[in-house]
Amino acid sequence: MSIVLRTSPEDKYETSIELYKGKYSSVCTAKLKNSPGESTVVIKRNTVSNYSLNEIKTYKQLNNSEQFLKVYDVCGKYTLVFERCMCNLEDLFMPQLVYPEEQKNLALQFLSGLNAIHQKKLVHRDIKMRNILMTYDGILKICDFESVCDNDSFPTSNIGTRGYKPFEILISTSTLPVTYSLDLWAAGVILFKIFTQNRKFLTPSPPCDETDIQMMTRMFGCPTGPYYESLPGYPEYYKWASSYKKNNIRENLVDWMSAHTMCEVDLVEKLLQLEPSARCTAFELMNAQSFFVQPLPSVNLKEAIKRYMQATKITRPPPHKAELFDFKTLNPNYSKSSSGTGTSGTSGTGTSGTSGTGTSGNSSGSGTSKSSSQQESGQKGVKK
C-alpha cells in the first residue's frame, strides 16, 4: 500500500470532466492513460484526510459488495477511483415516471444495501437520495462513507442532511450516540420519495420561513415520553411545541401515497416512528408483505434505464478494463494512521449534508447531476 500511496492519479489516469469541486473533495471523470474512448471511472480526491481515511476503511469492510461502488484503485493522497454510474436516485425520477413494480425493485435494493451496512455494525449517517447511485445495469449503489460511525459510538457532531434528520437529532442541543435508528428514519424518507416519484417531504418549501423542527412538529405533533423528555434541549422545545397535538402520521401517508396499497404505507410508517427503538430494521422490511403481493418488484430495471437514457440523451460508457482494488494490499500502518478518525465516529466534522462531497447530485462522483450529456459517457427484485 505504501507504493500505491506514492502513486499519483495523474501517473495512471487521464482526467476529463470535473463533476464537483467543494470544500472537502473534488470529483472528475477519468480513464486509464493511453486507453481509447470515453472516461470509464470517476476519481474522488478528499482534501480532508479524516474523511478519506474513514471512507477507505469502510470500503475495505464492505469488500466490493454489489450494493456499493466498485473500487478500482486507491492512490495519491487519499484518492479513490470508482466505477462510473449513470445517475443518482433523485435524478432518476426527474425526466420520467418510474412504475410501481420498478419502485418496489428500487426499495428492495435500497433496503438490501442498508442492511449490508448495518450487518457490519456501521451507521452511514447521511442517507439521502443523492447518496444512492444507479448503474447502467440497474443496480442501486449506496455511496459516500466519509461520515460512517460504528453503531453505539459517540461522534463529535451530528451529521446529516436537511429533510432526512429524525426528531431526536433536531430537538437535542447536544450530540447524541449514533445508532442504526438514525439511518432507519432517513430510510423512511427514501422509501416515501421512491413511492411518490421523489415528492418533497420533511423539507420546508420556500418562501416558507418554517424551520425543520417547526414543520415536523406541525406534521407529527409534539413527541413526548421518557426518551424525549431526557434529551438536552427538550424543555425549551416543549414550551412552544406542546400546543401541537400528536398527529396520526398514517392518515397523512395514506393521503400522500394514494396511488399505493396499504402495504407500501406500512413500509414507510414502520420507519418513520418517533420513538427510535420502534423503527423496524432494514432486514425486517426486506421480508415485508409489500414485496410479495401484486405488483411484485420488477425482475430488473432495464426499461427504466432505457427510458432515462432516452430522455437524457446519454450513452453508456465503455467498461473499465481493470481488476477491482485488492484491499489486502493496504499497508497495515495506513489504517493505523486513521486512528480516531475512522468508524470511531469522530470524522463527522463537516457541515450538515456535505459528507465531504457536496450535494450536486454527483456524490462520490459516480453519477451525473441532471444530464449525462455533459460527460462522455440489479440486484434483482422478486420475480414476477
Side-chain angles (χ1 to χ4, degrees):
M1 181 57 189
S2 58
I3 295 176
V4 175
L5 283 177
R6 286 198 300 266
T7 302
S8 168
E10 286 74 14
D11 293 338
K12 296 177 64 176
Y13 301 95
E14 294 178 12
T15 59
S16 180
I17 296 172
E18 185 173 75
L19 301 175
Y20 170 78
K21 185 176 180 63
K23 182 177 180 181
Y24 300 108
S25 69
S26 63
V27 176
C28 64
T29 59
K31 63 179 180 179
L32 289 169
K33 275 196 169 182
N34 302 317
S35 62
E38 302 173 2
S39 297
T40 58
V41 294
V42 291
I43 293 179
K44 179 179 180 180
R45 309 168 196 259
N46 280 282
T47 56
V48 180
S49 61
N50 287 2
Y51 284 134
S52 188
L53 290 168
N54 203 28
E55 186 159 42
I56 292 169
K57 287 178 67 178
T58 302
Y59 274 107
K60 182 179 180 180
Q61 287 181 269
L62 299 174
N63 197 28
N64 278 314
S65 299
E66 186 181 47
Q67 301 102 323
F68 312 105
L69 290 174
K70 295 176 182 177
V71 181
Y72 286 112
D73 214 343
V74 180
C75 54
K77 188 175 182 181
Y78 314 130
T79 298
L80 285 154
V81 180
F82 292 115
E83 67 176 307
R84 187 174 170 187
C85 292
M86 182 181 74
C87 65
N88 64 48
L89 194 52
E90 185 175 273
D91 292 340
L92 182 67
F93 288 94
M94 287 186 177
Q96 62 167 341
L97 287 176
V98 178
Y99 299 116
E101 61 273 19
E102 296 168 336
Q103 294 170 11
K104 285 190 177 183
N105 180 298
L106 290 169
L108 193 55
Q109 286 199 65
F110 165 67
L111 290 171
S112 177
L114 185 60
N115 179 58
I117 294 171
H118 290 177
Q119 281 187 328
K120 297 292 185 181
K121 302 188 185 305
L122 300 174
V123 182
H124 187 286
R125 292 211 295 164
D126 198 19
I127 293 292
K128 58 185 176 184
M129 295 285 276
R130 290 186 174 185
N131 280 349
I132 305 169
L133 305 180
M134 177 60 64
T135 73
Y136 288 88
D137 293 316
I139 298 175
L140 198 112
K141 308 266 184 173
I142 298 176
C143 68
D144 272 17
F145 291 101
E146 301 97 332
S147 303
V148 165
C149 284
D150 290 324
N151 187 49
D152 285 326
S153 61
F154 292 84
T156 57
S157 63
N158 289 324
I159 291 292
T161 296
R162 192 178 193 193
Y164 295 89
K165 295 181 182 181
F167 247 118
E168 61 270 20
I169 295 295
L170 295 174
I171 291 175
S172 179
T173 54
S174 298
T175 303
L176 299 178
V178 170
T179 65
Y180 302 133
S181 62
L182 182 66
D183 285 349
L184 294 172
W185 176 276
V189 178
I190 294 292
L191 292 190
F192 176 86
K193 286 177 171 288
I194 287 175
F195 291 134
T196 60
Q197 301 286 332
N198 194 31
R199 174 173 174 166
K200 194 168 270 191
F201 185 52
L202 300 183
T203 305
S205 300
C208 176
D209 58 358
E210 270 188 321
T211 64
D212 288 15
I213 188 62
Q214 287 172 336
M215 188 195 67
M216 286 181 62
T217 301
R218 175 172 52 79
M219 292 177 65
F220 291 86
C222 176
T224 57
Y227 172 78
Y228 279 98
E229 290 166 6
S230 69
L231 292 178
Y234 183 80
E236 291 76 15
Y237 165 76
Y238 186 78
K239 287 178 183 177
W240 67 264
S242 58
S243 60
Y244 291 86
K245 294 182 179 180
K246 187 175 180 179
N247 296 327
N248 186 344
I249 186 61
R250 183 177 182 83
E251 291 181 1
N252 288 332
L253 290 175
V254 169
D255 180 43
W256 297 332
M257 300 173 62
S258 58
H260 288 273
T261 69
M262 291 302 101
C263 292
E264 284 75 70
V265 173
D266 286 342
L267 282 176
V268 177
E269 185 188 24
K270 287 176 179 178
L271 290 166
L272 295 181
Q273 294 292 311
L274 298 186
E275 193 72 28
S277 61
R279 294 165 197 160
C280 281
T281 66
F283 179 78
E284 289 171 333
L285 293 186
M286 286 168 61
N287 297 284
Q289 183 183 6
S290 174
F291 298 117
F292 299 95
V293 298
Q294 296 293 336
L296 293 174
S298 59
V299 175
N300 56 58
L301 294 171
K302 288 182 179 179
E303 290 303 313
I305 299 301
K306 181 179 178 181
R307 293 195 304 272
Y308 179 85
M309 293 179 68
Q310 288 175 341
T312 55
K313 295 180 172 57
I314 63 170
T315 57
R316 180 173 183 152
H320 185 62
K321 296 180 179 179
E323 297 293 324
L324 295 178
F325 182 73
D326 183 2
F327 282 97
K328 294 178 182 178
T329 62
L330 282 171
N331 189 325
N333 292 326
Y334 184 68
S335 295
K336 290 179 182 179
S337 70
S338 62
S339 176
T341 65
T343 54
S344 63
T346 57
S347 67
T349 56
T351 56
S352 171
T354 61
S355 276
T357 58
T359 56
S360 65
N362 301 311
S363 297
S364 279
S366 307
T368 63
S369 52
K370 294 183 174 54
S371 174
S372 294
S373 61
Q374 296 177 344
Q375 304 177 26
E376 309 119 315
S377 293
Q379 179 186 348
K380 304 286 193 296
V382 179
K383 291 185 177 181
K384 290 185 179 178

